[in-house]
Amino acid sequence: MKKTTLTLFFFAFAAFAFFAVVSCEKVKDPAPAVTLGKYALTLGEGATETLTADQGVTWRSSDPNIATVDHRGVVTAVLEGVAAITATNDGGRSATCIVTVVVVPADGIGFAEPATLLSMSESPKLQVVMQPAGASPRTLTWKSSKPGVATIDPQGNVTPVAIGKTTVTVRTSNGNHEASCEVLVTEIGVPGFFSDRTWTVGDQTWSDVVIASGCNKTTYNGGTIGGTHLADCRVNTQDNYGHLFSWEAVYKYADYICPEGWHVPDFREFVALDKAMGGEGHNLQADLMLLNKYTTMWGGRFGGSVDMAGDLYNQGTHGFFWSSSRDDREFAQCLTIINTPELNPQDTSERVNGYAVRCVNDAPQNPAPENPQK
């Protein structure tokens, strides 16, 4: 009897221990299901759309050759076909969106910009606007009128070959629509202003100094070859001084060096500027108060100059600014400010020198700028 009691006690204790162990184990909660904003998507080649999930997930494409997806869920349609975009959470649960990439024929075409400037070292992609939205770039054909100046590939990438001008034409595959863009390969590349700041003096509104993407940091050649003046520019020691351009670059690219609505001033506009600030409007003036007006009211800076050898001179003491007006075959007119102080709104200098450029707004009350002849 005693043995039976001990046996029963043992089994009862074992059963209690088993249930105690089981009851102490923590049952893990299952990972929540992933919910997507969309489970099917149709995109034209080249189009993008962002998928959303209700929680943090990792995104993956079953075929990146057809559609890619980044860490934010941005899907990019690459090539006609079908791909699965899967979102997986940390618990291993996932949801899938089926992306169908289709070819959407273009029935309208245009360029984002009617003209493109570039230097020999730049190879931009021309931006086109197609109708309908999402039309496939594969339905376009490209052609350059002068491949000796610049070539164009099937994706619209321009490769410069030589200084000059060519017309790039893009056409829809059905031949019903086309658009053209002028591509100008220049020594100076794409010009722009150092900043958006402007200065208004009298009737005139002036831009900040001009800089350009094709200007070199170390070399400059604004000289002549066979009697022909050369267009060139050089990066200055500080961008806010403005890049330094030969007068030939100013003359040759007069329609581009200042953006639409602005122009390179002629010498009369420099004279008008000087008079508006209280100057005499003529040759050498020594007036510290007037010089201070040039540096504060007009934003004039002492950026110096560059010679044919590419050497920089007079940074911090002299400021030279080209006008569009030529003086004679070898000289052109400019505005000079020197911190001694000296000022001359009708100065002249050799066209081979590199000086800064400021643009003046095409205000109706301004005198029409002179169009110099070579």
Side-chain angles (χ1 to χ4, degrees):
M1 185 68 180
K2 185 175 182 181
K3 184 176 180 180
T4 301
T5 303
L6 289 172
T7 302
L8 291 173
F9 176 80
F10 173 78
F11 280 111
F13 177 79
F16 172 78
F18 172 77
F19 284 112
V21 170
V22 170
S23 65
C24 289
E25 288 182 357
K26 185 178 181 180
V27 178
K28 292 183 180 180
D29 295 330
V34 177
T35 301
L36 300 181
K38 290 184 178 181
Y39 293 90
L41 195 59
T42 300
L43 295 173
E45 289 182 347
T48 62
E49 187 162 332
T50 301
L51 291 177
T52 59
D54 62 345
Q55 56 191 280
V57 295
T58 300
W59 298 93
R60 183 179 64 84
S61 171
S62 65
D63 192 343
N65 292 319
I66 292 174
T68 63
V69 63
D70 68 11
H71 67 283
R72 300 166 299 170
V74 178
V75 178
T76 301
V78 179
L79 196 64
E80 185 179 18
V82 178
I85 304 298
T86 301
T88 305
N89 65 18
D90 291 339
R93 303 196 69 177
S94 63
T96 299
C97 175
I98 301 300
V99 176
T100 303
V101 180
V102 298
V103 175
V104 180
D107 59 17
I109 188 70
F111 281 96
E113 297 291 339
T116 295
L117 274 72
L118 64 153
S119 68
M120 288 294 294
S121 61
E122 297 170 306
S123 297
K125 180 182 178 68
L126 297 184
Q127 300 298 318
V128 294
V129 179
M130 291 184 289
Q131 298 295 333
S136 173
R138 279 206 299 152
T139 64
L140 304 177
T141 58
W142 299 80
K143 181 180 179 181
S144 171
S145 64
K146 294 181 180 179
V149 172
T151 60
I152 187 85
D153 72 11
Q155 286 73 49
N157 297 301
V158 179
T159 300
V161 178
I163 300 298
K165 184 189 298 185
T166 183
T167 299
V168 170
T169 301
V170 62
R171 179 177 297 175
T172 56
S173 57
N174 58 19
N176 293 336
H177 304 277
E178 70 175 36
S180 295
C181 171
E182 181 182 89
V183 174
L184 189 64
V185 182
T186 74
E187 296 89 341
I188 67 173
V190 183
F193 297 144
F194 172 70
S195 77
D196 293 332
R197 187 178 178 186
T198 58
W199 291 261
T200 298
V201 183
D203 296 346
Q204 303 168 326
T205 298
W206 293 82
S207 75
D208 208 339
V209 287
V210 174
I211 57 177
S213 63
C215 298
N216 197 281
K217 292 183 178 180
T218 56
T219 62
Y220 171 82
N221 185 7
T224 59
I225 294 179
T228 301
H229 286 81
L230 303 177
D232 203 358
C233 59
R234 188 197 192 285
V235 173
N236 210 329
T237 53
Q238 297 176 210
D239 277 346
N240 68 344
Y241 280 159
H243 293 173
L244 302 172
F245 300 84
S246 68
W247 187 85
E248 193 64 22
V250 175
Y251 171 81
K252 186 175 181 179
Y253 302 116
D255 293 336
Y256 305 98
I257 199 167
C258 295
E260 184 176 356
W262 300 81
H263 61 270
V264 179
D266 69 2
F267 82 95
R268 293 171 298 177
E269 288 169 299
F270 276 146
V271 169
L273 169 69
D274 191 70
K275 290 182 176 180
M277 288 197 291
E280 300 173 1
H282 58 69
N283 293 336
L284 192 63
Q285 304 168 75
D287 187 327
L288 181 58
M289 185 176 295
L290 182 59
L291 178 67
N292 288 336
K293 289 182 178 179
Y294 268 98
T295 57
T296 56
M297 293 173 55
W298 189 62
R301 305 184 185 104
F302 302 107
S305 63
V306 61
D307 65 10
M308 283 192 299
D311 294 324
L312 296 166
Y313 290 94
N314 301 315
Q315 274 73 39
T317 59
H318 293 58
F320 303 98
F321 304 89
W322 280 128
S323 79
S324 62
S325 304
R326 194 187 72 175
D327 188 61
D328 61 22
R329 184 173 179 81
E330 299 299 330
F331 287 79
Q333 293 184 298
C334 61
L335 166 69
T336 299
I337 58 174
I338 306 173
N339 67 356
T340 47
E342 293 179 14
L343 304 108
N344 190 347
Q346 297 190 56
D347 205 355
T348 60
S349 180
E350 290 183 282
R351 292 160 55 176
V352 298
N353 291 324
Y355 289 171
V357 175
R358 296 278 294 272
C359 301
V360 64
N361 195 268
D362 295 341
Q365 63 268 36
N366 285 351
E370 177 183 328
N371 184 16
Q373 301 296 316
K374 274 191 174 182

